[in-house]
Amino acid sequence: MAKSLIDQNEIRVIITPTDSGDMQAELDYLREYVFPHLSHLGEERDIIVNFLWTSPLFVQDVHKYQVNYQVADNPHKYAFILNTSGNANKDRHFVDGVATYDYETKEELGRLVEKGLRRTLDKLFPSTSVTDLVKNLRRVARIYQEMGQLEDALEMQTRAFKVLDKEFGEKHSDTIETLYTCGWLNYKLGNFDQALKLLRKSYENAKDVYGDVDQRSTDQLGIIRMVEASVKRQKK
């Protein structure tokens, strides 16, 4: 299946001005002082941070910038309003459902953009022992699988799934992928009923997260159909 951004340990910071005003000073400041630091924050967690500056949206009287921290095709949106009237709202609030911060200077804008990235990193790539534990479990599982020890591989993947499900929930891309792997290993071991149960659950979650026409969902559906046909032949 095609890898999502989160599978590739990548965040895309997409900055979109929402009017046609002159924002070159802010862009220069972000490029020189903020983006390098954000890249370093990503490197600390083995994450690639890419930056895109898109054309203005031409939305008047709403906000100055919309910033998407785009991960796994699920943008985490923040908006930043230039407000020099003296009544700027420095706390997070919402404009049209988008988390929003007021700023008065380009330096303050830079701090807020960094704050948004930190919030996204903490949510999706937490700097905790959980991340390392899951990586290690998966690494061991791959080694077992390459050695043909599928039962041991399944045990490691099942442990990784339980950690991910507890930490991030079942609608997280890593949880979905690991549940799918558990289903596939059960199939290879001849546990057909359990395999189909896990594969179908993974597919339902994938549809909820990616949509039913996304390749990640359709690939899983294709595997389910193949397993169903194989099980039918086995039971004849």
Side-chain angles (χ1 to χ4, degrees):
M1 291 186 296
K3 288 188 174 182
S4 64
L5 295 178
I6 200 169
D7 295 326
Q8 300 176 77
N9 283 10
E10 179 183 348
I11 289 180
R12 293 176 184 169
V13 179
I14 303 173
I15 299 181
T16 304
T18 56
D19 63 34
S20 57
D22 182 7
M23 302 177 207
Q24 191 62 45
E26 286 98 326
L27 175 57
D28 290 344
Y29 180 82
L30 291 172
R31 282 175 170 165
E32 184 173 358
Y33 297 103
V34 179
F35 291 173
H37 183 53
L38 298 187
S39 295
H40 179 69
L41 290 177
E43 289 172 1
E44 290 179 343
R45 307 190 196 194
D46 198 26
I47 304 302
I48 299 170
V49 183
N50 288 321
F51 305 96
L52 298 173
W53 184 276
T54 62
S55 300
L57 293 175
F58 299 104
V59 178
Q60 296 181 351
D61 301 324
V62 179
H63 44 254
K64 194 79 170 183
Y65 294 98
Q66 178 169 289
V67 179
N68 288 346
Y69 300 92
Q70 188 171 356
V71 183
D73 303 320
N74 180 23
H76 295 250
K77 296 182 179 180
Y78 291 82
F80 302 94
I81 301 174
L82 177 63
N83 187 334
T84 57
S85 64
N87 62 350
N89 185 352
K90 302 301 180 67
D91 296 324
R92 186 172 62 148
H93 53 288
F94 291 86
V95 175
D96 296 335
V98 177
T100 302
Y101 295 91
D102 292 359
Y103 75 95
E104 296 177 311
T105 66
K106 61 181 183 295
E107 291 81 10
E108 189 172 11
L109 172 64
R111 290 193 296 271
L112 291 170
V113 170
E114 178 181 331
K115 184 176 181 179
L117 180 65
R118 284 184 180 275
R119 184 186 293 272
T120 303
L121 282 171
D122 288 342
K123 181 176 182 180
L124 296 170
F125 302 98
S127 182
T128 68
S129 59
V130 169
T131 303
D132 293 334
L133 174 60
V134 169
K135 287 182 178 179
N136 289 334
L137 287 170
R138 285 174 159 178
R139 187 178 299 114
V140 174
R142 285 194 295 269
I143 293 171
Y144 278 136
Q145 191 167 346
E146 290 169 1
M147 295 171 62
Q149 298 175 220
L150 298 185
E151 290 185 357
D152 293 322
L154 176 59
E155 180 183 351
M156 294 299 105
Q157 292 286 5
T158 300
R159 288 176 59 187
F161 167 75
K162 289 179 178 178
V163 171
L164 289 165
D165 189 38
K166 181 179 179 180
E167 186 71 16
F168 303 119
E170 63 180 14
K171 299 301 175 67
H172 188 277
S173 61
D174 279 354
T175 313
I176 293 169
E177 180 183 349
T178 307
L179 183 61
Y180 166 82
T181 303
C182 290
W184 179 250
L185 287 171
N186 269 287
Y187 167 69
K188 298 296 286 185
L189 286 165
N191 305 324
F192 300 134
D193 290 341
Q194 180 68 1
L196 284 171
K197 177 182 177 181
L198 298 180
L199 289 171
R200 287 166 178 160
K201 181 63 175 177
S202 175
Y203 170 63
E204 291 301 320
N205 290 339
K207 282 200 304 179
D208 289 344
V209 173
Y210 308 123
D212 57 3
V213 297
D214 186 275
Q215 185 177 352
R216 286 160 291 190
S217 301
T218 57
D219 283 351
Q220 289 204 24
L221 181 60
I223 292 296
I224 290 172
R225 296 291 180 258
M226 184 273 291
V227 171
E228 288 174 338
S230 177
V231 170
K232 184 179 291 187
R233 289 194 300 269
Q234 294 277 352
K235 292 183 176 180
K236 282 185 178 180

